[in-house]
Structures are given as C-alpha cells and as structure tokens.
Amino acid sequence: HLSAADLAFCQLEVALTDSDPDQIGGLAQLSPSRVYAPAGAVKGRRTTSLKAGDVIDLGVDKAGRPLRLEVQSFGASSVTLLDVNDRILFAGNALGVQGADSGWTPPGGAAAYKAALAQWRTRTDGRYDILYTARNHQWLTSPSYVDQLGQALDKVIAGGAPTTDSRVKPGLKLVKSDGAVEVVASV
C-alpha cells in the first residue's frame, strides 16, 4: 500500500523539448500530472510553457542537492534542459540527429540555424560534460558534437563542400563534419 505522500511522489511529469508531432503524439497515453513544453507545443490545464531561463524544480537528488533543470531556448519551438549539478544537457531534437548519414535538415535553413546555435552556445558552452540528443545511433555524446555540427553548417553555408548521398533518405545530399565517427555531424 502507498501513502498519499508516496502517490504524490510517483506522479509523472513530462518535459518536451520541442513541438515535433513524433514527440507529443503519444502524450495522452501517459496521463502526466504536468507537462513542461515550449510555448504553444501542447495546450492543456496541466501544461507549463517553457522559455529561456526557466527552471524545472524536481526536488532533491539522492545526495540532497537541488535537482533542477535549467531551460535554454533554441529557436522558436525548441528548448534544451541543463542539469547543472550533474553537468548533463538534454537537447532533444534541437541539435539535429548525430551521425554520418542522419538525413537531418536544419529548421529554417543552415544560416538561420547557425545563428540560433551561436546564440544558444553563449548560454550553454562549458556548462555540460555529457549531451543527450534525440534519434541518434547512441544515447549520449560529447560536447564536441556541437563543434562538429557548427562545422558542417559552416560548410553548407560556404557552399562547394563535397557531398555524399544519404542512405537514410534517398535523393538527399549530405555535408559531413570532419570529426571522428562518434561525434560526426551531417546536414
């Protein structure tokens, strides 16, 4: 049997990093007690809209330290969540899809995305040691992936970079960064 306090502790809270229908389509199946989401992503009485600088307070961790996720906006419809204590960044789709054949297209185009990335980096660089992204071949990556993403974007913006054919999305041409396989980015 669970006490009322135990039940309150077990309530599910969900944080969405963007308004991608793939991420929010099954939300109703979870019956969360609270949904944190970028502004306009989900409507409902138990939804808290997130914006840069917001903090999601999750209580304390096992060591008694405050467990908080700091929100950083990324473009109009995405946020990242930074666990300051453990130096972990949850990026969701905001930083694309890692890999040599991702088939990812930057929202708004390479130049606009690169500008948003530069702004975001002023608030986050040096503050995390592990990066969790979405839809990748591995669960976590190094912060150097962000450098590789910037490099691939620079190549696209400059034009004339060598391209490869995507196996994931036939007909799509990819520009890759020069990084090692565990941090390579392609756009």
Short mmCIF file of all heavy atoms in Angstrom, two decimals, residues 64-95:
data_model
loop_
_atom_site.label_atom_id
_atom_site.label_comp_id
_atom_site.label_asym_id
_atom_site.label_seq_id
_atom_site.Cartn_x
_atom_site.Cartn_y
_atom_site.Cartn_z
N GLY A 64 20.92 14.87 -1.72
CA GLY A 64 20.30 16.01 -1.07
C GLY A 64 20.53 17.33 -1.79
O GLY A 64 20.17 18.38 -1.26
N ARG A 65 21.12 17.29 -2.96
CA ARG A 65 21.34 18.51 -3.73
C ARG A 65 20.07 18.87 -4.49
O ARG A 65 19.33 17.97 -4.90
CB ARG A 65 22.47 18.32 -4.76
CG ARG A 65 23.81 17.98 -4.16
CD ARG A 65 24.84 17.74 -5.24
NE ARG A 65 24.38 16.65 -6.11
CZ ARG A 65 24.98 16.27 -7.22
NH1 ARG A 65 26.06 16.89 -7.64
NH2 ARG A 65 24.51 15.28 -7.95
N PRO A 66 19.82 20.15 -4.71
CA PRO A 66 18.66 20.54 -5.51
C PRO A 66 18.76 19.91 -6.91
O PRO A 66 19.82 19.94 -7.52
CB PRO A 66 18.76 22.06 -5.59
CG PRO A 66 19.69 22.46 -4.51
CD PRO A 66 20.60 21.30 -4.27
N LEU A 67 17.65 19.35 -7.35
CA LEU A 67 17.60 18.74 -8.69
C LEU A 67 16.74 19.64 -9.55
O LEU A 67 15.51 19.66 -9.43
CB LEU A 67 17.02 17.33 -8.61
CG LEU A 67 16.97 16.54 -9.90
CD1 LEU A 67 18.35 16.45 -10.54
CD2 LEU A 67 16.44 15.15 -9.64
N ARG A 68 17.42 20.43 -10.38
CA ARG A 68 16.73 21.40 -11.21
C ARG A 68 17.23 21.30 -12.64
O ARG A 68 18.41 21.06 -12.87
CB ARG A 68 16.99 22.81 -10.69
CG ARG A 68 16.43 23.04 -9.32
CD ARG A 68 16.61 24.49 -8.90
NE ARG A 68 16.02 24.70 -7.60
CZ ARG A 68 16.73 24.89 -6.49
NH1 ARG A 68 18.03 24.93 -6.55
NH2 ARG A 68 16.12 25.08 -5.35
N LEU A 69 16.32 21.51 -13.57
CA LEU A 69 16.67 21.56 -14.98
C LEU A 69 16.50 23.00 -15.45
O LEU A 69 15.41 23.56 -15.36
CB LEU A 69 15.77 20.63 -15.80
CG LEU A 69 15.85 19.15 -15.45
CD1 LEU A 69 14.82 18.37 -16.27
CD2 LEU A 69 17.24 18.61 -15.68
N GLU A 70 17.59 23.56 -15.95
CA GLU A 70 17.56 24.93 -16.46
C GLU A 70 17.17 24.90 -17.92
O GLU A 70 17.71 24.13 -18.71
CB GLU A 70 18.95 25.53 -16.30
CG GLU A 70 19.10 26.94 -16.79
CD GLU A 70 20.53 27.40 -16.68
OE1 GLU A 70 21.06 27.45 -15.54
OE2 GLU A 70 21.13 27.70 -17.73
N VAL A 71 16.24 25.74 -18.30
CA VAL A 71 15.72 25.78 -19.67
C VAL A 71 16.49 26.81 -20.49
O VAL A 71 16.68 27.94 -20.04
CB VAL A 71 14.21 26.13 -19.68
CG1 VAL A 71 13.68 26.23 -21.10
CG2 VAL A 71 13.42 25.11 -18.86
N GLN A 72 16.92 26.40 -21.67
CA GLN A 72 17.52 27.32 -22.64
C GLN A 72 16.76 27.17 -23.94
O GLN A 72 16.60 26.06 -24.44
CB GLN A 72 19.01 27.03 -22.85
CG GLN A 72 19.86 27.33 -21.65
CD GLN A 72 19.81 28.80 -21.25
OE1 GLN A 72 19.53 29.69 -22.05
NE2 GLN A 72 20.06 29.06 -19.98
N SER A 73 16.27 28.27 -24.48
CA SER A 73 15.52 28.20 -25.72
C SER A 73 16.46 27.98 -26.89
O SER A 73 17.63 28.35 -26.85
CB SER A 73 14.68 29.46 -25.94
OG SER A 73 15.53 30.58 -26.03
N PHE A 74 15.91 27.37 -27.92
CA PHE A 74 16.67 27.13 -29.14
C PHE A 74 15.70 27.33 -30.31
O PHE A 74 14.92 26.44 -30.63
CB PHE A 74 17.24 25.72 -29.17
CG PHE A 74 18.29 25.56 -30.21
CD1 PHE A 74 19.62 25.52 -29.85
CD2 PHE A 74 17.97 25.48 -31.55
CE1 PHE A 74 20.61 25.40 -30.81
CE2 PHE A 74 18.94 25.37 -32.52
CZ PHE A 74 20.27 25.32 -32.15
N GLY A 75 15.73 28.51 -30.88
CA GLY A 75 14.79 28.81 -31.95
C GLY A 75 13.40 29.03 -31.38
O GLY A 75 13.20 29.16 -30.18
N ALA A 76 12.43 29.03 -32.27
CA ALA A 76 11.06 29.36 -31.88
C ALA A 76 10.32 28.23 -31.19
O ALA A 76 9.44 28.46 -30.39
CB ALA A 76 10.27 29.80 -33.11
N SER A 77 10.67 26.99 -31.48
CA SER A 77 9.84 25.89 -30.98
C SER A 77 10.61 24.80 -30.24
O SER A 77 10.08 23.72 -30.01
CB SER A 77 9.07 25.26 -32.13
OG SER A 77 9.97 24.69 -33.06
N SER A 78 11.85 25.06 -29.84
CA SER A 78 12.65 24.05 -29.14
C SER A 78 13.29 24.63 -27.89
O SER A 78 13.57 25.82 -27.83
CB SER A 78 13.76 23.50 -30.03
OG SER A 78 13.25 22.78 -31.11
N VAL A 79 13.54 23.75 -26.93
CA VAL A 79 14.31 24.11 -25.75
C VAL A 79 15.29 22.98 -25.46
O VAL A 79 15.12 21.85 -25.92
CB VAL A 79 13.41 24.34 -24.50
CG1 VAL A 79 12.48 25.52 -24.70
CG2 VAL A 79 12.64 23.09 -24.12
N THR A 80 16.32 23.30 -24.69
CA THR A 80 17.20 22.29 -24.14
C THR A 80 17.10 22.38 -22.63
O THR A 80 16.72 23.43 -22.08
CB THR A 80 18.67 22.49 -24.59
OG1 THR A 80 19.13 23.77 -24.15
CG2 THR A 80 18.79 22.36 -26.10
N LEU A 81 17.42 21.30 -21.95
CA LEU A 81 17.32 21.25 -20.50
C LEU A 81 18.69 20.89 -19.93
O LEU A 81 19.28 19.87 -20.31
CB LEU A 81 16.29 20.19 -20.08
CG LEU A 81 14.89 20.38 -20.67
CD1 LEU A 81 14.01 19.18 -20.35
CD2 LEU A 81 14.27 21.67 -20.18
N LEU A 82 19.20 21.73 -19.03
CA LEU A 82 20.52 21.56 -18.47
C LEU A 82 20.43 21.19 -16.99
O LEU A 82 19.87 21.95 -16.20
CB LEU A 82 21.33 22.85 -18.64
CG LEU A 82 22.73 22.88 -18.04
CD1 LEU A 82 23.63 21.86 -18.72
CD2 LEU A 82 23.32 24.28 -18.18
N ASP A 83 20.96 20.01 -16.64
CA ASP A 83 21.09 19.60 -15.25
C ASP A 83 22.43 20.17 -14.78
O ASP A 83 23.49 19.61 -15.10
CB ASP A 83 21.05 18.08 -15.14
CG ASP A 83 21.27 17.57 -13.73
OD1 ASP A 83 21.76 18.32 -12.86
OD2 ASP A 83 21.00 16.38 -13.50
N VAL A 84 22.39 21.29 -14.07
CA VAL A 84 23.61 22.00 -13.70
C VAL A 84 24.46 21.17 -12.74
O VAL A 84 25.68 21.15 -12.85
CB VAL A 84 23.26 23.38 -13.08
CG1 VAL A 84 24.50 24.11 -12.63
CG2 VAL A 84 22.49 24.21 -14.09
N ASN A 85 23.84 20.48 -11.77
CA ASN A 85 24.60 19.70 -10.79
C ASN A 85 25.42 18.59 -11.44
O ASN A 85 26.59 18.40 -11.12
CB ASN A 85 23.67 19.07 -9.75
CG ASN A 85 23.17 20.07 -8.74
OD1 ASN A 85 23.74 21.13 -8.57
ND2 ASN A 85 22.09 19.73 -8.08
N ASP A 86 24.79 17.83 -12.34
CA ASP A 86 25.46 16.69 -12.96
C ASP A 86 26.07 17.02 -14.31
O ASP A 86 26.63 16.15 -14.96
CB ASP A 86 24.48 15.51 -13.08
CG ASP A 86 24.11 14.95 -11.72
OD1 ASP A 86 24.98 14.92 -10.83
OD2 ASP A 86 22.95 14.54 -11.55
N ARG A 87 25.93 18.29 -14.75
CA ARG A 87 26.53 18.77 -16.00
C ARG A 87 26.09 17.93 -17.20
O ARG A 87 26.88 17.50 -18.01
CB ARG A 87 28.04 18.86 -15.88
CG ARG A 87 28.49 19.85 -14.80
CD ARG A 87 29.99 19.98 -14.69
NE ARG A 87 30.65 20.30 -15.94
CZ ARG A 87 30.80 21.53 -16.44
NH1 ARG A 87 30.30 22.56 -15.81
NH2 ARG A 87 31.44 21.72 -17.58
N ILE A 88 24.77 17.70 -17.25
CA ILE A 88 24.17 16.93 -18.35
C ILE A 88 23.22 17.84 -19.12
O ILE A 88 22.40 18.55 -18.51
CB ILE A 88 23.39 15.72 -17.81
CG1 ILE A 88 24.33 14.77 -17.07
CG2 ILE A 88 22.66 15.00 -18.93
CD1 ILE A 88 23.61 13.66 -16.32
N LEU A 89 23.31 17.79 -20.44
CA LEU A 89 22.42 18.57 -21.29
C LEU A 89 21.50 17.63 -22.05
O LEU A 89 21.98 16.71 -22.72
CB LEU A 89 23.21 19.43 -22.28
CG LEU A 89 22.33 20.29 -23.17
CD1 LEU A 89 21.85 21.52 -22.41
CD2 LEU A 89 23.05 20.69 -24.43
N PHE A 90 20.20 17.86 -21.95
CA PHE A 90 19.20 17.12 -22.71
C PHE A 90 18.77 18.03 -23.86
O PHE A 90 18.11 19.04 -23.64
CB PHE A 90 18.01 16.76 -21.82
CG PHE A 90 18.40 15.90 -20.64
CD1 PHE A 90 18.66 16.49 -19.41
CD2 PHE A 90 18.51 14.54 -20.77
CE1 PHE A 90 19.03 15.72 -18.32
CE2 PHE A 90 18.88 13.75 -19.68
CZ PHE A 90 19.15 14.34 -18.46
N ALA A 91 19.13 17.66 -25.09
CA ALA A 91 18.92 18.53 -26.23
C ALA A 91 17.73 18.14 -27.09
O ALA A 91 17.26 18.94 -27.89
CB ALA A 91 20.16 18.59 -27.11
N GLY A 92 17.22 16.93 -26.95
CA GLY A 92 16.12 16.51 -27.80
C GLY A 92 16.49 16.66 -29.26
O GLY A 92 17.59 16.32 -29.68
N ASN A 93 15.60 17.23 -30.05
CA ASN A 93 15.85 17.43 -31.48
C ASN A 93 16.56 18.75 -31.78
O ASN A 93 16.87 19.02 -32.93
CB ASN A 93 14.52 17.42 -32.25
CG ASN A 93 13.92 16.05 -32.34
OD1 ASN A 93 14.62 15.05 -32.27
ND2 ASN A 93 12.61 15.99 -32.47
N ALA A 94 16.78 19.60 -30.79
CA ALA A 94 17.32 20.93 -31.03
C ALA A 94 18.67 20.90 -31.75
O ALA A 94 18.97 21.79 -32.52
CB ALA A 94 17.46 21.70 -29.72
N LEU A 95 19.47 19.87 -31.51
CA LEU A 95 20.79 19.80 -32.12
C LEU A 95 20.85 18.78 -33.24
O LEU A 95 21.92 18.25 -33.56
CB LEU A 95 21.85 19.49 -31.06
CG LEU A 95 21.99 20.56 -29.97
CD1 LEU A 95 23.00 20.14 -28.92
CD2 LEU A 95 22.35 21.90 -30.57
#
